[in-house]
Amino acid sequence: PRVELAWAMKAHQHAQVYFNLISSVDPKFLNLTKVDDQIYNEFRKTFRDLKIDVLDPEDLKSEPAKEKWRPFCLGFEGVVEDFNYGTLLRLDCSKDYTEENTIFGE
């Protein structure tokens, strides 16, 4: 429980920084890592039909979804620092981070 709380707090801090960035800079000019293009290309290969503007929690948390997400994340071990950390995601990208619009993806 304490470890989960620490991860959730760190994820919240990352989400705040990220939201401040995307709110102040046009995202098409923003690079968060040196391998953003690689991450995106691999993401689209793996999750070709995933709707990302409004997320369905089942696409993230169900057992079949986890079977796809685990190998995807592990593919960035040694490439991206903190590759296996959880993150807070907005379910609807047009809305702010709120309790109702946020899910913890691990």
Side-chain angles (χ1 to χ4, degrees):
R2 280 192 167 174
V3 171
E4 288 179 18
L5 180 58
W7 283 351
M9 289 175 62
K10 187 163 185 161
H12 178 70
Q13 290 169 344
H14 281 256
Q16 285 180 315
V17 169
Y18 173 77
F19 191 74
N20 289 339
L21 277 171
I22 64 171
S23 298
S24 62
V25 176
D26 186 339
K28 66 182 167 193
F29 300 115
L30 181 64
N31 288 320
L32 299 174
T33 74
K34 295 176 186 176
V35 292
D36 283 359
D37 290 337
Q38 178 187 354
I39 294 168
Y40 181 75
N41 290 333
E42 288 299 317
F43 172 79
R44 276 297 163 213
K45 282 183 201 171
T46 304
F47 302 99
R48 194 172 316 271
D49 299 321
L50 182 65
K51 186 178 170 191
I52 60 171
D53 56 341
V54 179
L55 293 171
D56 178 349
E58 281 298 303
D59 291 335
L60 305 171
K61 298 281 189 170
S62 70
E63 279 308 311
K66 287 180 182 181
E67 289 174 16
K68 288 181 86 172
W69 280 105
R70 282 186 197 111
F72 172 78
C73 292
L74 288 172
F76 294 99
E77 185 174 9
V79 176
V80 175
E81 185 178 343
D82 301 334
F83 75 98
N84 63 344
Y85 273 28
T87 190
L88 293 177
L89 299 169
R90 290 177 293 155
L91 293 171
D92 182 336
C93 72
S94 68
K95 299 177 183 175
D96 287 340
Y97 283 100
T98 63
E99 188 173 341
E100 300 80 27
N101 192 44
T102 305
I103 189 169
F104 185 70
E106 0 180 13

